[in-house]
Amino acid sequence: MIDAYEDPGTPDVRGGWRYLWWLVRCQPGRSVAGALLGSSWMVLLAATPYLMAKAIDEGLEPGDWAALAGWSCALFAVGSFNAWLSIMRHRTMTRVRMDANFRTVKVVVAQAVRLGAALSRRTGAGEVVTIGVGDVQTIAQSLTVVGPGVGACVAYLTVASLLVSVSPVLAAVVLLGIPAIVVLVGPFLSRLQGTETEYRNRQGVLTSRIADLAGGLRVLNGLGGKSLVADAFHRDSQRLRSQGYRVGAVTSWVQALGVGLPTLFLAVVTWLAARLAAEGDITVGELVAVYGYVAVLVGPVAFWVECGYQLSRGVVAARRVVRFLRLEPLEDTGTRDAPAEPSTLHDPESGVSILPGRLTALASAHPADSAAVLDRVARYTPSRATWGGVPLDEIRLPQIRQHILLADHEADLFAGNLREVIAPCRGAGNGATSPHSAAAALHAAVADDIVQGLPDGLDSPMDAQARNLSGGQRQRIRLVRALLADPEILLAVEPTSALDAHTEALVAERLREARDGRTTAVTTTSPLVLDHADTVLYLVDGKLAASGTHQQLLTTEPGYRALVARDAEVMK
């Protein structure tokens, strides 16, 4: 089975079926062993009625007790050996499924790491969670076909050949009847793929909504928007439930036919064999053997239907994994170095220019518009943005990441002690982490009280996403981490949106001091922050409408004045 640190290999992302086949090819020895053990187990199941027929015809009926004892011992030996085979088959197939499970987890996690910051821009959190929680298990379970599936085919052919020696008529009925059963179930399996795909898509949407709801529950409560999100969640969950009923309806038919049709087929073949025995065409022992053969066939046919069911679901899950694995991070085509001296960032799409060494604020009635500008000048989305007159896509991406830091107010906070949480990532800015710089960053972000209020200070443990802190505290911790990175250019998205007016005023004042002489841009509509900016860029529908100081724009721009006034009213 794949080791935790072993390379999972390069997955085949050309389709769902190819991905499943890749999982089989990654463990050829185990897959072959599972197929051989499954085949041997099912064939020996068919040997049981053969030995019983011999015991009846050669021992019981003529009264030859020695022959009866011999065949009985053979029957016991075969049964015991087959029980051992069943255990080994189950163990092997468990390893096959677990390897597929772990291997899929590893390639999905590796892809998430590879996408990096592009992950949230390419797919939703609910999609990744759905893959990890449901699709991985479904894919692993579908590999059951490697063992029992192959064994069912071998057992079917073996029983058919044994029936030829008993009665060609019965052999013909079996050879034609079993495929007919599979054909009857086929349309339901195709329909199951469609309904299962829709169900998985809706499940991803609902999971995303759960994540959004959990992450912003406190904010929603404060704004009175909890009921609105709850209503949307209720509607989505109702749709998912309805789709689940449709999946269940198809699944019930598949499972009912998988059990019912083989049983009906067994009754028909048994009736034919009884007629042949009554007419003297076959012996009593052969009648018992035919009954046993057909009873054994119920297992392989049920396995076929079950494998078809699992494969149908597995392909749907594999297609979702493949779709995720096909996502590509932002392409690095740059060949040029970053500007040697502080230079202007310019976004032609909006007309925004962020001058070096200044604190620039972007204000917009739609926060997403100003955040999109920072995304472009930080090169997280394709654009025609330039840095010092050089197109950003011509500059090597690692150099951009080293000099330009985009600090999102909802950036992830991983579990660990607070010292580890605020430590900047490698390659982001200068990465200063000395005790003195940490104290300075905590002071600048007005986060001293957070450390003082924790039992072990910077060594206090933090939950994932720092959920043991309030929303405002988490926002200040994110700002501390950004300041500790000490980048040449800091782009902060709404760094004070969750803070009270007093704390926000202190952060604005200290941020300016901490970043004095270095390029800083923030998106905000708070007058407390805007008043400390060297330049305020007022955006309307994502385009630069006016620029100047906060006081100048209050005097000359009615739209800006109305925007800021609304924010001032909220702070009161």
Side-chain angles (χ1 to χ4, degrees), residues 21 36 49 78 90 139 219 433 462 479 485 518 529 553:
W21 178 237
L36 289 176
V78 169
H90 181 74
I139 289 171
V219 177
T433 56
M462 293 289 105
L479 183 56
R518 280 168 294 178
V529 180
L553 292 179

Side-chain angles (χ1 to χ4, degrees), residues 418 442 447-460 477:
L418 184 56
L442 287 165
D448 314 72
D449 63 311
I450 300 176
V451 179
Q452 294 168 2
L454 294 172
D456 298 316
L458 288 174
D459 295 319
S460 299
I477 291 299

Side-chain angles (χ1 to χ4, degrees), residues 292-314:
Y293 293 151
V294 180
V296 168
L297 275 181
V298 172
V301 175
F303 269 121
W304 274 349
V305 176
E306 177 67 17
C307 288
Y309 167 68
Q310 295 293 351
L311 277 176
S312 297
R313 301 181 70 235

Side-chain angles (χ1 to χ4, degrees), residues 238-290:
Q238 293 300 311
R239 295 190 188 100
L240 180 64
R241 186 183 66 176
S242 300
Q243 186 63 27
Y245 286 152
R246 285 190 282 271
V247 173
V250 180
T251 301
S252 64
W253 275 104
V254 171
Q255 294 179 342
L257 291 175
V259 176
L261 288 178
T263 303
L264 179 63
F265 178 70
L266 171 63
V268 171
V269 175
T270 302
W271 178 79
L272 288 174
R275 289 290 303 272
L276 292 175
E279 294 171 0
D281 293 333
I282 61 175
T283 66
V284 174
E286 289 174 331
L287 172 62
V288 173
V290 169

